[in-house]
Amino acid sequence: MGSNLVRVWWATWLLAAGVCLLGVCLLSAPSIGRAASAVSAGASLAVEMFDPAVGDPHVDQLASGALDAQLRPFDFKAARQVNAAFWLRLRAEESSTPGSLPTLNVSKGRHLQVQGFTMHGERIVQLRTATHLPGFRGMHEAVFALPDRLLPGQLLFIRVDPQGQGWEGLAFTVSTLDRTLASGAEHARMIAIAFGALMAMAVSAFLIWMVLSDRLLLLYASLFSLQALYIAYLSGQGFEWPVLSLGLPVMSYTWNVTAALSGAAACLFVREIAELRLYSPRVYAVFGWLAGTFVLLAFANLAQHVGLGGVVAAIGNLVFMGTAIFTLVVAFLAWQRDNRAAGWFLIAWGMLEGFTIATAVRLLVTDPEGAEGLLYYGLPLSMVAAAVLIALGVADRLRDQRLALSDAERRAQTDPLTGVLNRRSLVERLEAACLRARARGLPIALLFIDLDHFKEINDTRGHQAGDACLRAIIGPIHAELRQSDVIGRYGGEEFVVILSSADISAAGPIAERIRNRVAGVRVAGFGEPIQLTCSIGVATSDMLGVWGEHLIARADAAVYDAKRSGRNRVQIASPLPA
């Protein structure tokens, strides 16, 4: 009862934390009424557009003021309806930062070709492109070097020429080159660190899978390699890297396809880590169907070519949200079944989905540059943290499997009554010990221990008393053995001890000490205390020149000699006459 309350408390805490996180992200966002394609202008710039009906005039006409009557408040959607080149006029309303090289930063889709012009003295000069910086969801920042700091009233003319499709939006800011490059380097570094960490963990899991062949490891590697590709392409950094830049011609598909395939891998992963095949076959099958749905969504991205991209996106969002909630519920129920691995997954997936949903919402209500903290720090670091936490869950699962396997092996090798090796394992250990001893030129000794009057104890006191006597002598025998020595139950009341690297001079005294310890054992609880004694036969390879089961046979024969001589004694096996 207490354990269930703790689980419910933790689940409530995690849910509350997720809601708070989502709320903070939403409250810190700009107004929801603002469209993703709206124009954002820095406080030092006023943006106007020339009526697209004027066509594509030369910049000299614009600078002369001849077309000032065609200026309109800038409306990006209206400008894009013509699907042709259009012009903007930017007016500086205050001076830019003095000292460093000033820049005009234009956040745009990669498909928008932008040229900038300004008045420098009495002539028009084209702005030089200082650099390009990638951004989220296909956004691309073109950085133009200004010939000098902007002064109030100074005009800039921007020509925008659409070439294809991509992120629809324009944002203008005035900055300095050193600040812009520092910000771009910091963003690239964070994404590179996240990508490297995710890929390193994925590759490590794949290499371990090649050794252990556990399907969970392969699914882990697939899931987080896809997550790594997703953050690389979504952030735009991947298009700047070798190999990944091959995705540039199909840029609009890259993050959507990797996200869908990542969802499919997640569905297959959760049903394995939650052990649904064993505990809930129907839910196991549901996750299989969901994985197939995500694969279909990956291919359905092609529908944007026939104007159905919005429908596919809406369906994808619904499937994503529904699957995320369903996954968390299933992981929580698996955690309640004492599945610790599912508990790790629950924490990691709840955190990751919280950041992913918050990111999606922020990208819907503002341009990517309005959510830098969430995009470049929150989302990538949550992915890495989730990979680490889920790796702990996988390790916990593998540890449980190893312990279960070790326990099964131990049960297969040991005698259930006394806890020592059973006969088969004992003989295997003896053969291995003999091979090592012969290879190193060392002797080996064997003690064959037989409990005296054991049949009489069973007949007069009962089999439970006999079992208690067998268990009672194990401790005294162990007390005289080294860590390298081995004891096993050979059958009934017979035990065999393997003494590694022991000759007759060492084995004899050990056998005598064991005999004395057993003689001091008293077993109570079955009437009068039962006093135990044992007979021990000793056989050594240095004295007999035999190995393996031949040693057992000679020690067994020595035990019979000890019993015929009155029991409770040690008998050394003698060499056979030539």
Side-chain angles (χ1 to χ4, degrees):
M1 181 69 177
S3 177
N4 288 335
L5 288 175
V6 170
R7 290 193 181 96
V8 171
W9 186 89
W10 270 104
T12 304
W13 185 88
L14 287 171
L15 181 61
V19 170
C20 291
L21 172 65
L22 188 58
V24 168
C25 295
L26 292 177
L27 289 174
S28 61
S31 171
I32 291 181
R34 178 179 179 180
S37 61
V39 174
S40 172
S44 61
L45 296 174
V47 184
E48 297 174 292
M49 64 180 286
F50 289 94
D51 192 331
V54 302
D56 188 11
H58 194 273
V59 66
D60 291 336
Q61 292 180 271
L62 306 180
S64 67
L67 297 178
D68 284 0
Q70 302 298 322
L71 284 171
R72 306 282 186 271
F74 182 54
D75 184 345
F76 182 78
K77 289 184 177 180
R80 288 293 288 120
Q81 285 177 353
V82 180
N83 198 28
F86 59 91
W87 285 86
L88 306 176
R89 189 181 77 175
L90 281 59
R91 181 188 298 275
E93 296 185 334
E94 57 189 36
S95 299
S96 60
T97 304
S100 301
L101 178 63
T103 60
L104 174 68
N105 299 348
V106 183
S107 298
K108 61 184 186 63
R110 286 179 179 262
H111 66 299
L112 299 178
Q113 305 302 313
V114 174
Q115 294 174 291
F117 302 86
T118 189
M119 299 295 298
H120 188 60
E122 296 299 322
R123 60 192 179 88
I124 300 173
V125 295
Q126 183 172 351
L127 301 181
R128 293 183 295 108
T129 301
T131 187
H132 292 276
L133 298 175
F136 271 74
R137 289 183 61 197
M139 189 274 287
H140 197 236
E141 187 173 38
V143 181
F144 296 99
L146 296 171
D148 201 353
R149 59 179 297 203
L150 291 178
L151 298 176
Q154 184 173 344
L155 299 179
L156 299 167
F157 298 95
I158 305 296
R159 181 179 183 270
V160 182
D161 185 12
Q163 300 289 333
Q165 295 181 335
W167 183 74
E168 293 291 332
L170 279 173
F172 302 92
T173 56
V174 177
S175 184
T176 59
L177 186 60
D178 55 350
R179 186 181 303 170
T180 299
L181 293 178
S183 176
E186 178 65 18
H187 293 166
R189 182 163 50 249
M190 289 304 302
I191 298 300
I193 289 173
F195 177 84
L198 291 170
M199 287 302 295
M201 299 188 72
V203 170
S204 298
F206 178 76
L207 294 176
I208 298 173
W209 168 79
M210 293 180 69
V211 176
L212 300 182
S213 299
D214 190 300
R215 188 169 181 233
L216 194 64
L217 290 166
L218 184 60
L219 291 173
Y220 178 93
S222 302
L223 173 60
F224 285 103
S225 60
L226 288 168
Q227 288 277 302
L229 291 173
Y230 171 71
I231 192 63
Y233 281 131
L234 183 67
S235 66
Q237 299 292 334
F239 300 114
E240 308 295 320
W241 298 342
V243 181
L244 293 189
S245 61
L246 296 174
L248 194 56
V250 290
M251 179 179 59
S252 59
Y253 298 110
T254 51
W255 58 83
N256 287 330
V257 170
T258 52
L261 295 179
S262 177
C267 289
L268 298 177
F269 181 85
V270 70
R271 71 178 191 173
E272 292 296 328
I273 203 167
E275 299 178 314
L276 295 179
R277 185 195 294 269
L278 176 63
Y279 291 101
S280 184
R282 290 185 179 179
V283 178
Y284 181 89
V286 168
F287 273 106
W289 284 105
L290 287 173
T293 301
F294 277 112
V295 173
L296 289 176
L297 284 173
F299 288 101
N301 280 276
L302 296 171
Q304 62 181 282
H305 290 295
V306 293
L308 296 178
V311 175
V312 172
I315 294 174
N317 290 335
L318 288 175
V319 173
F320 168 76
M321 288 292 296
T323 303
I325 296 172
F326 184 54
T327 297
L328 291 174
V329 171
V330 170
F332 175 74
L333 294 176
W335 180 38
Q336 282 199 314
R337 293 196 310 266
D338 292 326
N339 185 329
R340 291 191 307 273
W344 287 110
F345 180 85
L346 174 65
I347 297 172
W349 205 246
M351 175 186 63
L352 180 58
E353 292 304 304
F355 275 100
T356 302
I357 293 171
T359 300
V361 172
R362 288 297 300 268
L363 289 176
L364 287 174
V365 301
T366 184
D367 60 84
E369 294 305 300
E372 290 187 358
L374 180 62
L375 298 180
Y376 289 104
Y377 298 94
L379 180 62
L381 293 180
S382 72
M383 287 181 170
V384 175
V388 172
L389 290 173
I390 294 176
L392 291 175
V394 172
D396 199 359
R397 165 80 174 272
L398 295 177
R399 173 181 170 274
D400 286 344
Q401 291 178 343
R402 187 191 67 181
L403 291 176
L405 181 60
S406 298
D407 185 61
E409 290 177 346
R410 184 185 62 79
R411 290 176 180 272
Q413 293 175 355
T414 58
D415 172 56
L417 177 62
T418 59
V420 299
L421 293 179
N422 57 29
R423 180 168 178 164
R424 185 186 67 180
S425 299
L426 176 70
V427 172
E428 290 175 352
R429 294 286 186 92
L430 176 61
E431 295 295 341
C434 287
L435 286 174
R436 288 195 301 269
R438 298 183 75 171
R440 299 172 184 174
L442 298 173
I444 192 168
L446 209 70
L447 309 184
F448 200 107
I449 304 171
D450 194 319
L451 202 58
D452 294 332
H453 305 294
F454 184 72
K455 184 177 184 304
E456 182 181 343
I457 294 173
N458 272 337
D459 292 342
T460 59
R461 303 293 185 96
H463 287 281
Q464 288 186 343
D467 291 346
C469 292
L470 294 175
R471 288 191 294 266
I473 67 170
I474 300 302
I477 295 174
H478 266 302
E480 295 297 337
L481 301 183
R482 301 163 299 175
Q483 190 172 4
S484 60
D485 298 331
V486 175
I487 179 175
R489 186 179 179 189
Y490 195 69
E493 71 277 21
E494 300 169 338
F495 296 86
V496 170
V497 173
I498 304 171
L499 302 176
S500 300
S501 307
D503 56 15
I504 188 61
S505 62
I510 293 175
E512 279 292 345
R513 292 196 297 271
I514 290 175
R515 184 192 65 78
N516 285 328
R517 282 186 177 272
V518 172
V521 173
R522 300 291 185 275
V523 178
F526 303 94
E528 290 292 326
I530 304 172
Q531 180 177 354
L532 301 177
T533 61
C534 68
S535 300
I536 304 177
V538 181
T540 62
S541 61
D542 62 312
M543 187 172 180
L544 302 176
V546 296
W547 302 87
E549 292 194 67
H550 294 293
L551 276 175
I552 295 179
R554 297 302 300 277
D556 187 18
V559 166
Y560 280 104
D561 291 340
K563 287 185 176 293
R564 284 194 294 267
S565 299
R567 294 186 173 86
N568 191 23
R569 60 183 298 157
V570 173
Q571 181 69 42
I572 307 296
S574 301
L576 295 175

